[in-house]
Amino acid sequence: MIAVWWDNLRESCDMRMMAGTSAAVCWLLLLAISPVFSTAPTLIAQGLSWRIVAVFCSVVLFVISLVLGAKGENPEGKALSSGVAFTGATAFLGVLLHRFTESAAIDFLAAVFVACGVAGLCLGWAQPFSTIRLRKRVVASAAGAICGCILYFAIVAIPQPFALFVGACLPIASAACWMVLRASAAPDDAESETGFHLQSADRIARDGSGADPAQGIEMRRAVLHPFGRELSAAIALYGMLFVLAGHVLPETESMWVLSVVPGVVNVAAFLIIEIALTLYMVKRIHRENPVVAYRPATILVAIAFLLLPFSSSELSLACMAIAFAGFGSFMVFFWIVMGNISQKWRLPYLRVYAQGFLTLLAGIAAGELVAWLLVLIRQPGFDYVATLSIVSLFLLVAMAWQMSDGSRFANETKEMGGQFFEPNASMRDEDDSSGSPDLDRVAERYRLSPREVEVLALLLKGRSIPYICDELFIAKSTAQTHVRHIYSKMEITGGRQELIDRIEQDGYSLA
């Protein structure tokens, strides 16, 4: 079984993409919840710290990227490659400068370098993720998150200063994987994968040249607000809740910053939920569906904040881990959806991803402000934890009210062969494997298995073997075996045209 899964993974995910995103994910985890890079305080009430300066500088860089993306152009060629290589090097220098200097000025410069690494890696990897099919994007995102967590455990187990050096090298490794992937890609890969230019929506918005006036209006709205109010509110609220969960016990937070235990527990919870979701997708629905990553996120965060007032200091760490698993699940969903939106509305990926991360960082800033206010107004008899739990649950209710169905943002784009934003499209895909009552009768007559019916339906649509592998998440050898079985059961010897003729001769419809 493991060998089959490995073959499927290699068929659906580029190993260079998986390695590069794993390094980037691990570096971000080390930066956020590990003393390997920094022991600076994270609560703004404890004073301005290196981490907070890095977040502020990241906001500035994403704003600049958003302005550049609003012009309808993506950085390409040498400019893009040089930018990714530069950010990898600056991230490496930033971490080392922070750990080996006591000067406030140099520490500020280190925060700027780290912010360049955060923005550069996120926007750099947005480029390949926004041009591949949904299926490959889901597989690469899940594989990158899982492998990044495993790499995190390996690095925190290494004694200092080796862990610091290895972790600091991760951005360089990620940038190197990106450049190798970029060098091996054909010049027109983006257009050949998606079948359209990503900048065309801006053209439609400017001159109204859409074929359908209603479509033109819809695209103009998407250009102005690609995420919409519902998803934007959900992104910001998750950013707020992420910060509030990290400030559960401000009295002990300074001690937790010096320990690897909270980070290990949080990452372990995220790894467990990500593996469980991936196994569910593979075993139950047999296809990658980003809705699976979205659905448990709110439930996990709500459970964590619900149990928080009844937990001791030790159990509060478990509540934080449960919440972190929910945030991680949402981030996987969010990363996939940003690629979907870029493809759906044909927008420059630089603009979509920059706006998405800015919305998330705005929520993080709001969460820091709320946590600071709660610490500031603490009086005798004031229960900080209970108040934090009540505020967080209220935000969750507000988010659920605003965004009740994340599946509307997670489906395949029409240009990529799916039904993007179509209600219940994924449910129909899961419940109806054939898509045609006539194919059900074909299956009954020739004793085809449910999986063979799925392959048959794609064959009748003219899909190639690589497309079938990508669509059904199966290895090439498995797809070829299904095709041979179909031909054998139906006694087909002349290939696909004879298969189509047989279906029509039997009186079944191909519509």
Side-chain angles (χ1 to χ4, degrees):
M1 180 181 296
I2 295 177
V4 173
W5 286 1
W6 176 250
D7 289 340
N8 290 341
L9 177 63
R10 290 193 302 173
E11 291 282 350
S12 303
C13 178
D14 192 299
M15 294 294 105
R16 295 161 298 186
M17 180 178 290
M18 186 180 72
T21 53
S22 299
V25 168
C26 180
W27 184 74
L28 291 173
L29 290 174
L30 290 170
L31 193 67
I33 52 173
S34 171
V36 172
F37 287 169
S38 176
T39 57
T42 59
L43 183 61
I44 194 173
Q46 299 173 353
L48 190 64
S49 72
W50 175 79
R51 295 177 188 269
I52 296 174
V53 173
V55 171
F56 174 78
C57 294
S58 299
V59 170
V60 174
L61 292 173
F62 280 122
V63 169
I64 295 174
S65 301
L66 180 62
V67 172
L68 295 176
K71 298 180 180 180
E73 298 293 337
N74 285 321
E76 294 294 343
K78 293 183 179 180
L80 182 59
S81 299
S82 300
V84 173
F86 172 77
T87 56
T90 55
F92 172 80
L93 291 174
V95 170
L96 296 184
L97 284 176
H98 169 67
R99 290 306 300 263
F100 294 110
T101 185
E102 296 181 357
S103 170
I106 296 180
D107 208 30
F108 176 79
L109 180 63
V112 174
F113 282 173
V114 169
C116 290
V118 172
L121 289 178
C122 291
L123 297 177
W125 280 110
Q127 189 267 341
F129 273 84
S130 63
T131 56
I132 58 179
R133 287 178 54 82
L134 170 65
R135 181 168 215 73
K136 293 184 177 180
R137 185 161 56 250
V138 174
V139 174
S141 300
I146 292 173
C147 294
C149 291
I150 295 174
L151 187 58
Y152 175 93
F153 293 132
I155 291 178
V156 297
I158 303 174
Q160 289 279 28
F162 301 106
L164 173 63
F165 179 76
V166 174
C169 291
L170 289 175
I172 298 178
S174 180
C177 291
W178 183 93
M179 295 181 73
V180 171
L181 182 67
R182 173 80 177 179
S184 63
D188 59 347
D189 267 358
E191 188 174 355
S192 63
E193 281 276 9
T194 59
F196 55 82
H197 291 285
L198 295 177
Q199 291 87 354
S200 59
D202 284 322
R203 176 181 56 79
I204 292 176
R206 288 194 299 268
D207 57 26
S209 59
D212 184 356
Q215 181 188 20
I217 294 174
E218 188 179 14
M219 281 193 170
R220 283 191 288 272
R221 290 176 180 174
V223 169
L224 296 175
H225 306 288
F227 293 98
R229 291 179 298 177
E230 295 177 355
L231 184 57
S232 297
I235 297 166
L237 286 173
Y238 265 103
M240 291 181 63
L241 293 172
F242 174 78
V243 172
L244 294 178
H247 299 321
V248 167
L249 296 177
E251 297 87 354
T252 60
E253 187 169 336
S254 58
M255 294 188 300
W256 282 2
V257 169
L258 300 174
S259 173
V260 298
V261 175
V264 168
V265 175
N266 288 351
V267 175
F270 174 45
L271 177 62
I272 291 172
I273 187 64
E274 194 62 28
I275 291 176
L277 294 176
T278 302
L279 291 176
Y280 173 78
M281 287 190 293
V282 173
K283 297 295 290 184
R284 284 292 300 274
I285 62 178
H286 305 291
R287 56 170 60 91
E288 271 57 43
N289 187 348
V291 181
V292 176
Y294 166 77
R295 285 173 177 167
T298 304
I299 297 175
L300 290 171
V301 177
I303 290 175
F305 282 109
L306 182 63
L307 296 177
L308 186 60
F310 310 101
S311 303
S312 62
S313 299
E314 293 75 13
L315 292 179
S316 296
L317 181 59
C319 292
M320 292 173 58
I322 295 173
F324 187 83
F327 299 134
S329 177
F330 177 79
M331 285 305 300
V332 173
F333 166 84
F334 178 42
W335 179 263
I336 296 168
V337 165
M338 284 193 288
N340 283 5
I341 290 175
S342 179
Q343 290 180 351
K344 161 66 178 178
W345 300 119
R346 309 178 185 182
L347 294 172
Y349 70 87
L350 189 66
R351 176 178 183 176
V352 174
Y353 281 81
Q355 183 169 338
F357 283 114
L358 276 175
T359 305
L360 180 68
L361 290 171
I364 290 175
E368 289 285 356
L369 179 62
V370 171
W372 177 74
L373 290 175
L374 291 178
V375 173
L376 186 66
I377 64 176
R378 293 181 68 176
Q379 301 293 334
F382 176 81
D383 194 329
Y384 172 85
V385 175
T387 304
L388 183 66
S389 177
I390 293 172
V391 170
S392 302
L393 288 173
F394 172 78
L395 294 175
L396 282 170
V397 171
M399 181 178 62
W401 183 270
Q402 285 289 321
M403 184 180 178
S404 58
D405 186 11
S407 63
R408 295 191 298 110
F409 303 94
N411 295 325
E412 183 96 52
T413 64
K414 290 183 179 179
E415 292 84 354
M416 300 290 283
Q419 299 296 324
F420 193 94
F421 279 28
E422 184 176 346
N424 300 323
S426 60
M427 294 177 60
R428 284 200 308 273
D429 288 343
E430 295 175 20
D431 296 337
D432 184 5
S433 61
S434 66
S436 169
D438 283 339
L439 285 187
D440 291 337
R441 289 189 288 158
V442 171
E444 183 178 357
R445 175 173 179 176
Y446 294 103
R447 299 184 182 276
L448 301 180
S449 69
R451 185 56 119 190
E452 289 168 351
V453 175
E454 291 181 330
V455 174
L456 175 61
L458 293 173
L459 288 174
L460 295 176
K461 292 180 180 179
R463 305 305 189 191
S464 64
I465 292 296
Y467 184 99
I468 294 173
C469 295
D470 189 38
E471 185 69 19
L472 301 181
F473 189 38
I474 55 179
K476 183 178 181 180
S477 58
T478 305
Q480 291 172 335
T481 299
H482 286 314
V483 173
R484 285 197 302 269
H485 289 171
I486 292 171
Y487 285 178
S488 176
K489 292 179 180 180
M490 298 183 66
E491 298 180 354
I492 302 296
T493 59
R496 187 174 307 199
Q497 187 58 53
E498 183 180 347
L499 173 68
I500 296 174
D501 294 339
R502 174 67 57 79
I503 296 294
E504 292 179 343
Q505 288 172 4
D506 289 342
Y508 302 124
S509 172
L510 299 181

